[in-house]
Structures are given as structure tokens and as C-alpha cells.
Amino acid sequence: MAFLQKIKQYIFNGQKKVHHLLDPDSDFWYSKLANSFIIATIILNILAFTLETEPNIRLEFYILFQNIEYFSLIVFTVEYLLRFWSAPASEEYQGLSASKARWKYTTSFFGIIDLLAIIPFFFSFFIPNTEALRIIRLFRVFKVMRYNAAMNTLLTVVKEKAKDLMSVIFLLTILLILASSGVYLFEHEAQPEHFGSILRAMWWAIVTISTVGYGDAVPITVAGRIFAGGIMVLGIGLVALPAGILASAFSEQLGRHKIQYRNAVQDILAKGQGLNAEDEHILKSMQNKCNLSDQDAKSLYQEVASNLEKQAKQDQAMADVAKYIVAQPQKQNITKEESKATPLQNAEKPIKFCANCGEEIAKTDNYCRYCGKNLKN
């Protein structure tokens, strides 16, 4: 049993190292090197795919494009298998069994993107290599989102506000139907080629509500133009709603990121052992994950350090007061000069102690609420 436990621990340590190697937020040099290599491969692959669509270039550099595709396929396949294997070591799936962690990764957004990046090649063995199958390779561009903290934040925001965004889409759909139906009513006789049916009028409704306005189809009747003006005003308001929802949610998410970083700094500094190399890597990784600038991270660190220093001084002052009171339990009456000599004057708390009975009282009290002593004299 002990041997099996050692084997499991050895495997888990290996999974943890692989996870750190592929972690886009890691601050270790080997992680930065591996992630930079993957990003460069993605960019090279997308560039090759774009140039390959030009017939003359594709014929001239066909072998080069094939080699780039095989190289990219090897890199992305190895990456996918390593991410799949090391999923149990991810903090995101902490507490889950190995099988559940791997399933969570497989069904996650980036897990699906990683799979779509390699699956067209294997499908080509069973079905013809059509253009539609080749287009799926474009999903590789979404892999870059993993290495951009701002894009990850945006994805989180979209997930959180999915219901609100769906409500806006529902309103836009209603407006689209009303706009196409209304313009059909006013314009179908004057312009049957553009507004001969509600389906034809929907093109005009889409470009009008989205404020694009191509101008290929415009109302010519007075009633149609008045109706179109109202639709334009409503379209501007509704199209702006998703932007407002996302902007507000994005700001809230950044605020939560600052709280996460502040808590991480406080947990490390609360140990009272200062910062070591491992702590610096943890904070840097948290900074990258939270998409914080160096200035923001430095300000939060100084804020937490200053608060902990003040708290330590307050605790020390209270400890000095407690020691003084315990050291003189037999004295019932303390003179004015003795009370001034106590460490009470160094306490930074908004309280003080009665010189007669030693009970805690507010600094603004004129009389002790316990013994009634006049505190003015």
C-alpha cells in the first residue's frame, strides 16, 4: 500500500509540474518559454492557413504549408494530451477525482477549442478533406485567448451576464420582427423588390437596428420614413444595452480580481516571514491571472503591508496595556502621575482605561461608567 501511495504521489507531482509548465499565468521561466512557443506556433499556423487560400501561393509553397500543418498538429496534439493528463493537478478542478477533472477539462471552453484544433486532421482519414473541414482549423486562433488575461476576464463576464444578454437579444428579436413588419406595411407597394415580403424587409431592419445603414434599400414613402426614424432611435438604445451590461460587469470583475490579489498578499504577509522566491512567483502568477498592472499590484501590496503594520502596532499597544494592568492588580487608586506613565498614551485604539478601576472606556467619556470616577481631573 505504501508503495502504491508513493507511485500515486510521484504521478501527481509529475502532473503538477506539467500543469505549471502549461499554465499561462505561471511566472516561471520554463512556463513562459513553453507558452511563447505555443503562441508562436498558433500565429504561424494561422498565417500559413491565410496565405494558403491564395491559389498561386498554395501551389508554389504547397510542401511548406504541409510541413507547417504537420508540425502544428504534433505540437497541438502533445499539448492537448498533456493538458488532459495533468488536469487533476489544476487548482480549477481541486477536490475532484482524476476522471471528473479530465472530463471537466474536456468539456470546458478551452478544452473544446484544443480538441477542434487537432480533430480536422484525424477526420480527414474518414471523410474527404473539404473546405468546410479545413475551415475548422481556424478555431486554433481561439487558443490565443487562453494567454490573454483580459479575454479570460471577458469570457467570465459573458458567462455571468448570460441571462441579461439573452434578455437583450430577445428584445432585439422582437424589435427586428416589428421593424420588418412595419416597413413591409408601408413600403411593399412602392418597392416590391426590396420590401415585397417581411423576409425581404428583414435585411433592411437588421442594418437599420444595428446602425450600419448600407443604404441599398431605403423607405421612400412619408409614412415609411417616419416609421424608419423611430426604429433608428430605438435601435441605437437597444444596441447600446449589451455594451453597458458588459462594461459594468467588466468593472465589477476587475474589482473582484483586486480583492483576490489583496487576499493573496495578506495570506502571505500574515505569516510574518517576509517574501521568499516561491511567494514572489505565487503573487506574480496571481497578478497575471487577475490582469493587474505592475502599478496596481504594487499599490495593493503596499496597502496590505501598511494595514498589517498598523494592526501589529495596535496589538502591541493593547498587549502593553494588558501587561500593565495585570502587573498592578493590588493598587486600587492610581495617581494622576502614574496614569500618565502607563503605556495607555501610546495606544492607537479609540479607547482608554479608567485609572481607578482599570475598566475599558471610550476616550470621549467624562466619567467612568463602572466606578463613576471623574475623568476630567
Side-chain angles (χ1 to χ4, degrees):
M1 292 297 294
F3 177 74
L4 291 177
Q5 289 294 334
K6 288 183 179 180
I7 293 296
K8 289 182 179 179
Q9 187 61 38
Y10 179 79
I11 293 175
F12 182 77
N13 290 337
Q15 291 173 339
K16 198 170 183 179
K17 290 180 179 179
V18 172
H19 173 70
H20 284 309
L21 175 68
L22 300 176
D23 186 3
D25 299 320
S26 179
D27 190 50
F28 293 103
W29 67 268
Y30 50 82
S31 299
K32 292 182 178 179
L33 182 62
N35 291 324
S36 299
F37 175 74
I38 294 175
I39 293 173
T41 304
I42 296 171
I43 295 174
L44 175 64
N45 186 266
I46 298 301
L47 181 62
F49 178 82
T50 305
L51 295 175
E52 194 178 2
T53 57
E54 180 64 38
N56 294 332
I57 298 178
R58 179 169 55 188
L59 291 174
E60 185 175 355
F61 299 98
Y62 177 78
I63 301 298
L64 175 62
F65 289 143
Q66 284 292 101
N67 292 333
I68 291 176
E69 173 60 20
Y70 291 145
F71 172 76
S72 302
L73 180 67
I74 293 172
V75 173
F76 295 148
T77 302
V78 171
E79 179 199 5
Y80 181 80
L81 294 176
L82 289 178
R83 290 189 185 278
F84 180 83
W85 179 70
S86 63
S90 173
E91 296 180 0
E92 186 178 357
Y93 310 130
Q94 197 171 18
L96 299 178
S97 63
S99 58
K100 288 184 178 180
R102 293 188 175 104
W103 175 251
K104 281 283 187 180
Y105 163 72
T106 305
T107 56
S108 66
F109 174 79
F110 286 117
I112 294 173
I113 293 299
D114 291 338
L115 184 61
L116 289 175
I118 61 176
I119 208 168
F121 176 80
F122 298 104
F123 274 5
S124 63
F125 290 107
F126 308 100
I127 60 177
N129 190 15
T130 62
E131 287 297 322
L133 192 61
R134 288 163 54 83
I135 289 296
I136 298 179
R137 288 162 51 190
L138 280 177
F139 280 96
R140 293 173 180 176
V141 73
F142 290 105
K143 291 170 65 69
V144 181
M145 296 173 62
R146 175 185 276 121
Y147 305 95
N148 189 300
M151 291 301 299
N152 290 329
T153 302
L154 183 59
L155 285 177
T156 303
V157 166
V158 171
K159 291 179 183 178
E160 290 181 352
K161 297 297 180 179
K163 291 183 178 180
D164 296 336
L165 294 174
M166 288 302 296
S167 299
V168 175
I169 293 174
F170 179 70
L171 290 175
L172 287 171
T173 303
I174 293 176
L175 181 60
L176 174 64
I177 295 173
L178 292 176
S180 55
S181 300
V183 77
Y184 162 75
L185 179 64
F186 295 121
E187 297 289 330
H188 73 281
E189 292 182 356
Q191 301 184 79
E193 69 279 6
H194 294 305
F195 304 102
S197 67
I198 293 178
L199 289 177
R200 293 183 189 179
M202 275 190 179
W203 170 251
W204 172 88
I206 291 172
V207 298
T208 301
I209 292 173
S210 62
T211 69
V212 175
Y214 286 131
D216 55 342
V218 295
I220 59 176
T221 65
V222 175
R225 290 181 176 179
I226 294 174
F227 177 78
I231 293 299
M232 291 175 189
V233 173
L234 290 175
I236 291 172
L238 281 180
V239 169
L241 275 178
I245 293 173
L246 291 177
S248 175
F250 199 86
S251 178
E252 293 175 2
Q253 186 66 23
L254 290 179
R256 288 195 289 269
H257 282 171
K258 289 185 178 181
I259 293 174
Q260 291 176 4
Y261 185 79
R262 184 185 289 110
N263 291 339
V265 174
Q266 188 164 355
D267 291 341
I268 290 176
L269 294 184
K271 300 176 184 177
Q273 300 176 353
L275 285 178
N276 53 35
E278 184 178 356
D279 293 335
E280 290 179 355
H281 282 301
I282 292 174
L283 290 181
K284 189 64 178 178
S285 298
M286 180 62 70
Q287 177 187 342
N288 295 336
K289 183 178 181 180
C290 294
N291 193 28
L292 298 177
S293 64
D294 292 338
Q295 185 61 39
D296 287 339
K298 184 178 179 181
S299 298
L300 290 171
Y301 180 88
Q302 292 175 346
E303 176 187 341
V304 173
S306 177
N307 291 339
L308 289 176
E309 185 179 356
K310 288 181 180 178
Q311 185 63 41
K313 289 182 179 179
Q314 292 173 354
D315 293 342
Q316 183 60 43
M318 295 304 299
D320 293 341
V321 170
K323 288 180 181 179
Y324 179 81
I325 294 174
V326 172
Q328 301 186 16
Q330 73 283 1
K331 296 190 69 174
Q332 299 297 325
N333 297 314
I334 302 177
T335 64
K336 186 176 181 181
E337 289 73 14
E338 288 176 324
S339 66
K340 288 183 178 179
T342 67
L344 297 176
Q345 57 189 353
N346 296 325
E348 296 183 12
K349 294 279 187 181
I351 53 92
K352 61 181 179 179
F353 297 87
C354 177
N356 185 44
C357 64
E359 292 292 337
E360 180 179 296
I361 56 176
K363 283 188 175 183
T364 56
D365 289 347
N366 295 325
Y367 295 88
C368 178
R369 67 186 70 178
Y370 300 100
C371 67
K373 180 178 176 59
N374 188 346
L375 304 176
K376 293 182 178 178
N377 299 326

